Amino acid sequence: MTQPPPPTTPWWRDAVVYQIYPRSFADSNADGVGDLRGIIDHLDYVADLGVDAIWLSPVMVSPQADHGYDVADYRDIDPIFGTLADMDDLITACHARGLRITLDFVPNHTSEAHPWFAAALAAGPGSPERARYHFRPGRGEEGELPPNNWRSVFGGPSWTRIIEPDGSPGEWYYHLFAPEQPDLNWQHPDVLAEFTDVLRFWLARGIDGFRMDVSDALMKDPAFPDTDDGKPVINKDDASGVHDIYRAFRRVLDEFDGDRMAVIETGADPATVALFLRPDEMNLAFNFGFTRAHWNAAEIHAAITSALAANSDVGAPTTWVTDNHDTVRSVTRYGSDLRLAGEYVPGLASGDYSGGGHSDVALGTRRHRAMALLLLALPGTAYLYNGQELGLPNVDDLPESALQDPVWLRSGHTERGRDGCRIPMPWAGQAPPFAFSATADTWLPMPANWQHLTAAAQRDDPDAMLTLYRTALALRKSQPGLGDGEVHWLESAPGVLALTVGGDTPDSRLAVVLNPNVAPAPVPAAVASWAAVLASDPDVRVGGAVAEVPGDSSVWLRP
Ligand code: NOJ
């Protein structure tokens, strides 16, 4: 009798995805900026790390006003990163190593250099070309005031006035981010038709999925009303039509075999996020509640439980993420005394892209190690950001002359922006550029004292951050429970996080105990006889039961 094949779990439900910021990963042509060939050259490192997939921040044609998040041609690669042929080679090289490859997809806005925007400027007020963006006449007698009081996420007004083709000061256009990033009008049918076609273009080339940039922001209130605080009014409910867009994207993904996926970027609350994860919409959403949680058990616990609860209503797995290219690196965040100062507020929803402030990097590194074991154990998909596995800190002392993030300019030089988490990867050697490039003139300068942080320096060091990640990722592949099943909370000492993950039988479960306090904590009674398989503190002996978990550390235990 022929049995039906067992249902397979789509790969993205419990994957570990490694985010590559292409400018900062590896430079193959000595121009100081990373590129696709550089990624191919270092793909064995990525595969060896033990991740399942990569996500590339944008590499499409772009004037780089926001480092690729301003796309001028969605169907080609920017020459700074290489060519379409290089991308095809990268796709092949990933698949040959069993890695999936996902791309950033930027639907909220184009570059001002996109042909549609150029056509809109040329065509004049009221034209069909302008209708694809949000053009409005200004207020005031001469139209000299912006159409409303909304502020840009990057600082300053979110409207820019143009010069009409006849040379006169003219209409204003809306940009949620920089003026070089005009927002598209997603109520216009051309926009959906174009972007579904772009998805097909990349899916047909073998791309396994997408990360959808500012995905919940597509539908602004068309009345553009003034608001008390200058925040934009963005509609996210069913009536807004935004979910029809994601349903259309879903249908395109499903035209292709192989569980193509999409993860959305949204800073919304868990219940709103879950709307985008209904079965006929997107697959995953970044869990920024977890990213934003400060170093204490109550906040981390709340971030885990609220995301799990909201997602389970729609049958979607949760993602776990501490670091990305917009956020102060967690080594630095966890080392700042948040309980006293609260200086570091990561995540998009805060609208705060800045670094700066005091941090104890040694303490932050210890806490980052502890967090890595929680991140990689929780059921669902984990996202890692290049350099996280090396324990790179944020670089907050870049000279002002080196700063590149548009936030620096747009905030009137009051917010330094996100450059500090985007420093090029240190691969090997004793001095900058640490084998990132053949030129020392890297697009952002690299700290002179990163020799102990290079991948080469950490590779054979049993106590290194890289070794912790590689060991944890290998265990995640070989041991049941990790990244799967349900979370069960254990009774533990106050202020300590203790939980098990995995299947229904005791053998298939694994316990994680994270102690974010200074003093050691006893291992909870329920798992006191279990054996430690991995500990973030190198002084904890693995292989047998442990009595206590040192402060600012975590441990994995098995029955
Ligand atoms: C979110 C991206 O992660 C960020 O880097 C970018 O600046 C904005 N979206 C605008 O596209």
Side-chain angles (χ1 to χ4, degrees), residues 66 69 106 109 154 177 181 211 213-214 265 325-326 348 353 418 422:
D66 187 19
Y69 287 96
V106 187
H109 43 265
F154 288 164
F177 295 93
Q181 296 166 294
R211 176 261 190 195
D213 189 60
V214 273
E265 188 214 21
H325 65 293
D326 291 328
L348 284 168
Y353 279 143
R418 302 157 292 178
R422 299 173 174 179

Side-chain angles (χ1 to χ4, degrees), residues 5 12 15 19 48 99 119 151 158 166 169 186 229 343-344 352 354 394 400 404 425 438 442 448 470 482 532:
W12 46 263
Q19 179 190 357
D48 237 38
L99 292 169
R151 310 282 300 165
S158 56
D166 66 4
W186 272 90
D229 53 6
E343 283 161 358
Y344 286 108
D352 181 338
S354 286
N394 223 61
E400 290 184 355
Q404 308 237 359
M425 285 279 283
T442 51
R470 293 176 72 212
L482 285 161

